[in-house]
Amino acid sequence: KDILAGLGFSEMYNYSFYSQKDADICGLQDIKHFELANPQNPDQQLIRVSLAPNILKNARENLKHYSAFDIFEIGRVYYPENNKAEEKRMLAMASVLGKDAKADTFYNLKGTVGSLLEVNGIKNAIFENKNINIPKIAHPTRFAKIKIGDEVIGGIGEINPLVLGQYKIKK
């Protein structure tokens, strides 16, 4: 948290829920979710397996007040495993770029992610964009998986414009 704050990112805190619509938009509909029996809000019926839907909502709300910003969330996601919750701690980061953003922005963000990994003792991470399955949420040609050996630990790239449109994000 301190490292990301030092890099200019603002921390977001979100509920551990989202809607079925959010799951569908972000390509999470085929992943088994725990579901609340009586949600107080229909937009919070599924217990999250990803931080992406809520960070996109944060971006949409911040765009009402700022033209460029960097945000992150560190939170838990919950996967059903033998009728119990397998809990994982995840990190999601988002950068919304101003009008004067340059073409090398991806490489700047890749450097930020690489530095964050190194500070946490991960020095052999590679960014791979050939022969990979692109998640629905990602831009079809602007995405890379982050790997340590054969294990995928994350991804980096632009959000698919169709997903952004569903969240009414225009940039």
Side-chain angles (χ1 to χ4, degrees), residues 89-156:
R89 198 161 179 219
M90 305 287 266
L91 164 66
M93 300 164 54
S95 288
V96 175
L97 309 174
K99 292 180 183 177
D100 59 344
K102 298 183 173 125
D104 61 351
T105 301
F106 173 81
Y107 297 103
N108 292 336
L109 293 173
K110 180 182 168 194
T112 299
V113 172
S115 296
L116 182 62
L117 292 171
E118 282 190 35
V119 166
N120 285 291
I122 302 169
K123 299 183 191 267
N124 56 344
I126 59 169
F127 296 80
E128 184 178 282
N129 66 352
K130 292 185 171 45
N131 301 321
I132 61 171
N133 292 327
I134 308 291
K136 178 183 176 184
I137 194 171
H139 189 288
T141 61
R142 298 178 185 154
F143 178 80
K145 297 246 180 183
I146 306 169
K147 295 175 70 176
I148 300 174
D150 290 334
E151 182 182 3
V152 176
I153 63 163
I156 182 172

Side-chain angles (χ1 to χ4, degrees), residues 50-80:
S50 172
L51 301 178
N54 289 334
I55 204 102
L56 286 169
K57 290 177 187 176
N58 294 139
R60 179 186 62 214
E61 293 306 309
N62 275 290
L63 278 166
K64 293 176 182 176
H65 308 284
Y66 307 101
S67 62
F69 52 87
D70 299 316
I71 57 176
F72 76 96
E73 179 182 9
I74 297 173
R76 300 192 189 297
V77 297
Y78 306 89
Y79 293 94

Side-chain angles (χ1 to χ4, degrees), residues 4-74:
L4 288 169
L7 293 169
F9 283 77
S10 297
E11 186 172 11
M12 301 285 111
Y13 294 95
N14 291 300
Y15 291 114
S16 295
F17 315 103
Y18 49 69
S19 69
Q20 182 64 54
K21 181 180 176 186
D22 290 322
D24 294 343
I25 292 170
C26 292
L28 304 169
Q29 70 275 10
D30 293 335
I31 299 173
K32 178 81 172 129
H33 287 75
F34 282 113
E35 205 168 324
L36 295 177
N38 295 308
Q40 292 183 358
N41 181 339
D43 288 339
Q44 297 178 336
Q45 71 193 57
L46 300 179
I47 299 175
R48 68 184 179 187
V49 297
S50 172
L51 301 178
N54 289 334
I55 204 102
L56 286 169
K57 290 177 187 176
N58 294 139
R60 179 186 62 214
E61 293 306 309
N62 275 290
L63 278 166
K64 293 176 182 176
H65 308 284
Y66 307 101
S67 62
F69 52 87
D70 299 316
I71 57 176
F72 76 96
E73 179 182 9
I74 297 173

